[in-house]
Amino acid sequence: MRKIRLNMERKDGYPCVKDQNYEETMQMVVEPYLKQFKKSGWYEREENKPLYYEMYMPDEAVGSVIISHGYTESIQKYKEVIYYFLKEHYNVFLMDHRGHGKSFREVGNNDFSLTHVVKFSDYVEDLNGFIEEIAVKKAGEDNPFYLYAHSMGGAIGTRYLQLYPGRIKKAVLTAPMLDIKLNIPRIEAEAVAHYMVKTGRTKKYIIGQKAFSGEEAFEEASCSSRERYDYYFKKRAADRELQNNAGSYSWLYESLRVIKQIEKEKTQIQIPVCIFSAENDDLVTMGGHLALARKTPDSRLIFVPETKHEIYMAPSRIQEQYWRYLFAFLKGKSKTRR
């Protein structure tokens, strides 16, 4: 394991979309560029449970990136991320996890704010099926595959790597949900969630969480770039499919269970893994990141200063160093500096 703190004073950052005129750049440059490559479809691992996906395949791709998004997120939040991977000549495959975005919801379409799952393992099996049935068939067996996974998607991706070794060449876990910051001890939270599930209140909102109101404050968000926050919030406000905002007790119980499964897994992940951890993260702990890094032989734990949980939604100055290091890792520069 290597521990590294990104140096924000470096001048050789990756060319990211600037904060100034961010929305205009996204609308006039990024979105038209993505449109050239975008194809979308539906994947069904289980009958009548369609999962929406998008894929982007440039000419002469050097590899394929699978993106696994976070809790209450969607494909639509990752347009800037997709743009950078495309500019570096990677195919990109991603889907809305069940209960998110355009994908089917186990609570139906009566409440688009609620994020609910019956079994966390369904997320993992969905991801495996999507990779094998869609990404591999489209890109080909010989194409190298990489994983980019954020937050809840990081827990999904980590469990996938533990259960399905061999497909992914390298993995980037950005603020992965390997431990959750809670207001009470984890054992108590697990007991409460278990009680609610066993008494039939699986679809109740976790206490303290609420439906999307359209009036959330930037200061309370997990994003540290006001420009990026505003850009995506407008999309959320206009589209109810993007308005996931709260979790069910079943989601909480299953998430705490999978964290324990990841911790107890004895089989080591043998591929290179890069874990990014945000200095001002108020959702997940760095302890969970450190624990995984310690038991992964070829791992890097990258500390990103001055940013919140959504590192990929940080101001451009921070993202320039984040993406510089990330692409150096994917392209195999073994002596990458901080």
Side-chain angles (χ1 to χ4, degrees):
M1 179 190 74
R2 279 185 276 168
K3 291 195 289 185
I4 298 167
R5 179 185 176 94
L6 283 189
N7 181 0
M8 294 301 151
E9 303 305 318
R10 290 184 60 146
K11 305 300 182 184
D12 58 344
Y14 186 79
C16 293
V17 177
K18 300 298 183 183
D19 301 332
Q20 186 177 13
N21 301 320
Y22 179 81
E23 183 175 1
E24 180 181 353
T25 302
M26 291 296 294
Q27 293 175 345
M28 302 301 294
V29 178
V30 175
E31 291 178 4
Y33 181 82
L34 297 184
K35 192 174 181 180
Q36 300 176 68
F37 303 100
K38 175 186 169 183
K39 292 184 179 180
S40 61
W42 300 89
Y43 163 66
E44 282 194 20
R45 182 177 67 83
E46 298 177 284
E47 188 175 357
N48 297 322
K49 294 183 177 181
L51 301 169
Y52 175 75
Y53 72 85
E54 292 180 3
M55 60 182 185
Y56 300 78
M57 301 184 71
D59 295 334
E60 301 180 357
V62 299
S64 295
V65 175
I66 310 296
I67 295 177
S68 177
H69 71 72
Y71 166 68
T72 75
E73 295 186 336
S74 74
I75 287 174
Q76 306 311 316
K77 196 171 183 178
Y78 283 76
K79 298 305 184 182
E80 185 179 358
V81 171
I82 297 167
Y83 178 67
Y84 298 146
F85 282 125
L86 282 178
K87 296 293 280 187
E88 296 300 313
H89 307 287
Y90 291 94
N91 297 321
V92 180
F93 297 89
L94 69 171
M95 67 176 177
D96 285 331
H97 292 304
R98 60 175 60 206
H100 294 76
K102 296 181 182 295
S103 291
F104 90 98
R105 295 168 185 253
E106 290 168 311
V107 294
N109 293 335
N110 295 322
D111 185 355
F112 283 87
S113 289
L114 185 62
T115 305
H116 175 75
V117 72
V118 176
K119 296 181 296 181
F120 201 97
S121 59
D122 283 334
Y123 289 138
V124 181
E125 296 306 316
D126 289 344
L127 179 63
N128 178 57
F130 172 66
I131 291 173
E132 297 302 321
E133 296 298 321
I134 303 298
V136 174
K137 288 185 177 179
K138 295 293 184 182
E141 286 277 355
D142 295 334
N143 196 262
F145 287 87
Y146 305 92
L147 177 67
Y148 177 91
H150 168 68
S151 194
M152 180 193 81
I156 296 169
T158 301
R159 193 64 182 141
Y160 164 81
L161 293 173
Q162 290 176 334
L163 295 176
Y164 297 99
R167 175 61 68 193
I168 300 298
K169 184 177 180 180
K170 293 182 179 181
V172 174
L173 306 177
T174 179
M177 187 186 75
L178 304 179
D179 192 14
I180 302 175
K181 287 189 176 180
L182 300 161
N183 294 326
I184 58 176
R186 192 208 293 185
I187 192 170
E188 293 183 22
E190 192 171 348
V192 171
H194 182 257
Y195 173 77
M196 296 297 281
V197 168
K198 291 301 181 182
T199 55
R201 288 173 277 189
T202 60
K203 298 176 184 178
K204 293 289 185 180
Y205 278 37
I206 300 168
I207 188 168
Q209 299 194 7
K210 59 184 180 180
F212 179 78
S213 66
E215 298 177 354
E216 280 75 6
F218 165 68
E219 291 74 20
E220 299 174 2
S222 297
C223 166
S224 49
S225 166
R226 182 61 186 252
E227 294 80 8
R228 288 165 174 80
Y229 174 84
D230 288 344
Y231 169 75
Y232 184 62
F233 191 83
K234 287 181 181 178
K235 294 181 180 294
R236 290 187 73 204
D239 186 348
R240 65 178 186 170
E241 291 178 337
L242 306 182
Q243 293 175 4
N244 289 70
N245 205 63
S248 69
Y249 275 104
S250 179
W251 181 90
L252 177 60
Y253 178 63
E254 289 294 313
S255 294
L256 293 173
R257 285 188 66 203
V258 81
I259 287 170
K260 289 174 67 175
Q261 290 172 338
I262 289 170
E263 291 172 344
K264 292 180 179 180
E265 180 63 55
K266 295 181 179 179
T267 303
Q268 293 180 328
I269 297 171
Q270 296 298 325
I271 62 170
V273 176
C274 185
I275 305 169
F276 287 95
S277 192
E279 178 178 31
N280 300 321
D281 200 324
D282 58 2
L283 297 181
V284 303
T285 74
M286 188 176 181
H289 304 162
L290 183 60
L292 180 67
R294 281 175 172 162
K295 67 178 184 180
T296 303
D298 192 353
S299 65
R300 298 150 184 79
L301 180 58
I302 314 301
F303 183 74
V304 186
E306 306 175 43
T307 190
K308 292 185 176 181
H309 181 63
E310 295 171 357
I311 304 171
Y312 71 98
M313 293 278 280
S316 58
R317 184 178 67 85
I318 296 171
Q319 288 213 49
E320 286 167 3
Q321 297 307 321
Y322 169 68
W323 286 102
R324 175 192 61 79
Y325 191 96
L326 190 154
F327 282 124
F329 167 74
L330 290 184
K331 295 173 183 179
K333 296 180 181 178
S334 58
K335 293 185 180 180
T336 301
R337 294 178 295 165
R338 64 191 179 94

